[in-house]
Amino acid sequence: MARCVGLWALLLALHVQAGDGQVVQMDSVKSGFVGSQVELRCVFVNSNPPVKVSQVTWQKLLNGTKQNVAIVNPVLGVSVLSPFRERVSFKQATVRHQMSSLEDTTIVFSNLQLSDEAAYICEYTTFPAGNRENMVNLTVYAQPQTRMSLTSTTIVAKTPRRKMTVATCMAANGKPPSVIKWETRIKGDATYQETRNQNGTVTVRSNYQVTPSRETHKQKLTCIVTYRGERITESVVLNVQYEPEVKIEGFDGNWYLNRQTVQLTCRADANPPVTIYQWKLLNGSLPSNVEIKNNTLFFKGPVTYDLAGTYVCDATNAIGTRTGVVDVNITDFPSPDRGNFQRTRSDFPTNPPNNHGIQQEQHSAGVVIGGAVGGVALLGVAAVLLFIFLRRRQRTFKGDYNTKKHAFGNGYSKAGGLPAHPSKPKNLPYPDDSDDEKKPTQIGSTGGFEPSDRNFDTESEDLKRPYFTVDEGESREYDERTLGFQYDPEPEIVDDMISQTDGSVISKKEWYV
């Protein structure tokens, strides 16, 4: 319809422009809301020389059909046809009183209705120029009627929990249709529905669905209706009824023997409020010194082991019953980290300690202590091994200390002898250690040995013997098997001998203590 009206307006405009200076002036579009008043302007601009206006006709053009609205004739007067007679009138008094001036024939619509929406033609009949006309498009808007409501004044959180519609927002009989949005902190889903009415208006409806719970109680739900740039808001607060949420307070984990003034309190968050509290001790009966007042257990006298156990509190309201449980244990002494005192804010340092630095220092101290302990343990192990080693050396000594007096023979050398007896030195040199030690001493003096006492020819045979003890050497009994291990003496044996301060010599490889 809009395309047809636009085309018709274009043809009328071309028709007006094609005239000989006569112009019908009108607005191209006009609009108004249902129930309001609107003016449709129509002004005739006469030519020079002027033409005579014999009649003015207002017509309604709808779906290609014209319908007369009002007619004014200088001779016959004014006529407003039905159904516009009660709501349409000419604005100028000269026209209403049938005066000769018909240049301004603007009409006024009162109590605008949706059915008034159409194209309106203002046609001037002149002599001798003929008809001159123009057209205006009238749009009628309908302000929606918005409404928000709860589906029920009381919403119950049931078990198992399920989604349900808690609120409805509606924008009814609007033209053009409205847009509905929801604003809330409650997590939920919205559904939308549009209904087109017979009068051309549209009703928009939206439902908001949530899962009722304790968390949704007293939450605000806002519906926002947007209509032609205008925002219309309406809010409700949910009233959700739910079973009690129960917890038991009073046990701080530090109930010790002979402690005074202890109690347990059953706290319940419920809507509607809890009406009945019931206390019981699991697998037993309540202690004899307990007193029940409302939702609190008061334990009279000092704490004893009889107070230990699992305490249960049942809280009941109109929706249901829920239970709270606490395990109470009794200790012999107070816990050092849970004293019976309360610290105020001033008891705490303004700046929190640097826990990271403390941890690093503790770690460094731990490393130092661990290293010291490890070092002590290592030294202890070494001392034990050294002691075992020395003990074994002492046990493997074969002979006596007098063995060192034998310059050659059956000592603990690796098995060898000297090829010839060395020449007897007259005296032995001393290192330049002291004046007393520089004095020469004769070999034959006390502490040495006399050449006449030793038979080197006989003992040269002993050098050919394998490893044996001094006692075995004195027996001088050799068999063939023993002599089978004889070998030529090694020349380096001489280098293996060390002279002693008392004039004797001893092998480097001889073990003694």
Side-chain angles (χ1 to χ4, degrees):
M1 185 187 88
R3 292 183 179 179
C4 296
V5 172
L7 181 59
W8 187 266
L10 179 60
L11 294 175
L12 286 177
L14 293 176
H15 176 69
V16 170
Q17 293 178 1
D20 298 332
Q22 297 87 17
V23 177
V24 179
Q25 295 180 347
M26 298 182 71
D27 297 322
S28 59
V29 292
K30 291 290 289 187
S31 63
F33 284 92
V34 173
S36 65
Q37 179 179 292
V38 66
E39 295 181 358
L40 301 183
R41 186 173 67 92
C42 183
V43 177
F44 181 74
V45 179
N46 208 334
S47 60
N48 190 13
V51 297
K52 183 179 180 181
V53 177
S54 57
Q55 183 171 300
V56 178
T57 305
W58 275 92
Q59 294 178 313
K60 177 181 180 181
L61 177 63
L62 183 63
N63 297 328
T65 302
K66 291 181 178 181
Q67 179 184 7
N68 290 334
V69 176
I71 300 173
V72 57
N73 187 286
V75 178
L76 299 177
V78 176
S79 174
V80 179
L81 286 75
S82 177
F84 307 100
R85 183 173 298 165
E86 303 296 332
R87 300 185 298 110
V88 175
S89 63
F90 285 94
K91 180 180 180 181
Q92 298 299 327
T94 57
V95 176
R96 295 197 301 267
H97 294 85
Q98 300 181 10
M99 296 181 180
S100 58
S101 177
L102 298 176
E103 285 80 7
D104 187 352
T105 56
T106 301
I107 62 175
V108 178
F109 270 89
S110 300
N111 191 20
L112 199 62
Q113 298 179 1
L114 288 172
S115 58
D116 296 334
E117 182 173 297
Y120 290 87
I121 301 172
C122 180
E123 181 181 39
Y124 274 77
T125 302
T126 65
F127 182 83
N131 295 341
R132 298 291 184 266
E133 63 184 26
N134 205 343
M135 185 175 63
V136 60
N137 289 316
L138 175 62
T139 302
V140 179
Y141 297 113
Q143 184 80 20
Q145 299 175 357
T146 60
R147 182 176 69 257
M148 182 182 182
S149 61
L150 293 170
T151 56
S152 175
T153 56
T154 302
I155 303 170
V156 179
K158 299 180 180 180
T159 303
R161 295 183 176 183
R162 295 179 181 177
K163 283 188 177 181
M164 62 176 295
T165 299
V166 296
T168 299
C169 186
M170 181 182 296
N173 304 323
K175 183 178 175 297
S178 304
V179 177
I180 297 179
K181 292 184 178 180
W182 294 91
E183 186 177 88
T184 182
R185 295 182 178 179
I186 307 173
K187 183 179 180 181
D189 300 319
T191 60
Y192 300 93
Q193 181 183 2
E194 285 190 2
T195 303
R196 296 190 175 273
N197 305 315
Q198 293 181 354
N199 59 359
T201 60
V202 179
T203 298
V204 181
R205 180 189 181 98
S206 179
N207 296 326
Y208 199 79
Q209 297 178 339
V210 300
T211 301
S213 64
R214 183 171 63 96
E215 291 74 18
T216 58
H217 179 53
K218 293 184 178 181
Q219 290 296 321
K220 186 178 181 181
L221 189 59
T222 301
C223 171
I224 303 175
V225 178
T226 304
Y227 176 76
R228 299 186 69 239
E230 180 184 1
R231 286 167 56 94
I232 305 169
T233 62
E234 191 171 353
S235 301
V236 295
V237 176
L238 300 183
N239 181 19
V240 181
Q241 294 186 351
Y242 52 91
E243 295 177 335
E245 189 75 15
V246 184
K247 64 178 179 179
I248 299 177
E249 299 178 350
F251 179 68
D252 57 1
N254 191 26
W255 285 23
Y256 51 90
L257 292 178
N258 297 322
R259 178 178 172 178
Q260 301 291 333
T261 313
V262 293
Q263 64 185 38
L264 295 177
T265 302
C266 186
R267 303 291 184 186
D269 179 13
N271 184 36
V274 174
T275 56
I276 300 175
Y277 289 97
Q278 289 184 341
W279 286 94
K280 60 184 177 181
L281 184 63
L282 198 64
N283 299 328
S285 58
L286 293 175
S288 58
N289 63 334
V290 68
E291 180 181 359
I292 302 177
K293 291 184 178 181
N294 296 327
N295 61 331
T296 303
L297 288 181
F298 294 93
F299 296 90
K300 297 180 180 180
V303 173
T304 63
Y305 287 119
D306 296 336
L307 272 59
T310 301
Y311 289 83
V312 179
C313 173
D314 294 331
T316 303
N317 67 351
I319 307 302
T321 301
R322 297 289 294 273
T323 300
V325 179
V326 63
D327 292 325
V328 175
N329 59 318
I330 308 301
T331 60
D332 294 334
F333 303 100
S335 177
D337 57 344
R338 295 184 181 180
N340 293 325
F341 60 90
Q342 295 180 352
R343 300 181 65 182
T344 61
R345 185 178 297 273
S346 60
D347 294 331
F348 294 91
T350 303
N351 296 324
N354 187 355
N355 294 330
H356 180 68
I358 294 175
Q359 291 178 358
Q360 287 185 345
E361 294 177 0
Q362 293 177 351
H363 178 71
S364 301
V367 171
V368 173
I369 295 174
V373 173
V376 172
L378 184 61
L379 291 176
V381 172
V384 171
L385 294 177
L386 180 60
F387 176 78
I388 294 173
F389 176 73
L390 295 177
R391 292 287 296 175
R392 289 186 176 180
R393 287 185 58 185
Q394 183 178 6
R395 292 179 180 180
T396 54
F397 174 71
K398 298 181 180 181
D400 54 17
Y401 181 74
N402 293 328
T403 306
K404 71 176 184 176
K405 294 181 180 181
H406 302 278
F408 306 100
N410 57 353
Y412 294 98
S413 59
K414 198 172 184 181
L418 295 177
H421 189 276
S423 59
K424 180 179 70 174
K426 297 297 183 179
N427 50 37
L428 296 176
Y430 289 86
D432 299 332
D433 292 335
S434 64
D435 295 337
D436 296 333
E437 293 177 350
K438 291 180 180 181
K439 297 177 181 180
T441 303
Q442 296 296 329
I443 296 178
S445 61
T446 306
F449 60 91
E450 295 293 339
S452 59
D453 297 336
R454 304 293 299 272
N455 188 352
F456 289 100
D457 293 335
T458 304
E459 291 185 358
S460 62
E461 296 295 331
D462 295 339
L463 297 176
K464 297 180 182 181
R465 294 186 61 198
Y467 179 79
F468 53 85
T469 63
V470 175
D471 296 335
E472 291 173 349
E474 292 176 353
S475 64
R476 305 292 184 175
E477 296 179 359
Y478 310 124
D479 54 14
E480 294 180 358
R481 183 175 57 180
T482 302
L483 296 177
F485 292 95
Q486 296 177 1
Y487 50 88
D488 295 333
E490 295 179 357
E492 66 270 14
I493 294 302
V494 177
D495 297 334
D496 190 47
M497 309 303 292
I498 298 176
S499 61
Q500 303 297 308
T501 57
D502 57 356
S504 63
V505 291
I506 190 171
S507 173
K508 293 180 181 180
K509 297 181 180 180
E510 183 175 1
W511 295 353
Y512 66 96
V513 179

